[in-house]
Amino acid sequence: MSIHTFSSRDFTRDVSAAKRAAIDGPVFITDRGRPAFALLKIDDYYRIAGHGERSLLDVMDGIPSGDDIDFEPAPLNLRLFSTSLD
């Protein structure tokens, strides 16, 4: 396993290269020369976090339903205009 380092600028310019590098090991993304973020393969993340592979449904199952949340958005005051092209 090798560790790769990308500056924020290099990461922004070539995200694909960082993703390819993450296949070999973690990629550190630096801000002003200091590590700020780490890019990992999802399998590596699950291993480090102590989770088995989980599906999106498994993850969503742990999210509260929101039944107890009151949400009343303000009404929109929209005016629609039509234009004709002659």
Side-chain angles (χ1 to χ4, degrees):
M1 176 189 332
S2 59
I3 297 173
H4 300 277
T5 302
F6 282 72
S7 68
S8 291
R9 176 178 279 173
D10 291 339
F11 176 75
T12 301
R13 284 184 192 155
D14 198 354
V15 173
S16 295
K19 288 167 51 176
R20 284 191 302 271
I23 292 170
D24 296 330
V27 173
F28 293 141
I29 303 163
T30 61
D31 278 331
R32 297 188 173 133
R34 299 180 68 130
F37 300 95
L39 177 65
L40 303 170
K41 292 186 306 183
I42 195 67
D43 293 336
D44 292 341
Y45 168 77
Y46 287 143
R47 185 177 44 78
I48 291 169
H51 298 215
E53 187 172 333
R54 299 170 61 190
S55 72
L56 181 58
L57 290 175
D58 293 336
V59 172
M60 291 178 68
D61 188 43
I63 297 173
S65 66
D67 291 338
D68 59 342
I69 297 173
D70 293 327
F71 176 68
E72 291 189 34
L76 294 176
N77 186 12
L78 298 176
R79 294 183 191 174
L80 302 176
F81 297 94
S82 66
T83 59
S84 61
L85 300 173
D86 293 329

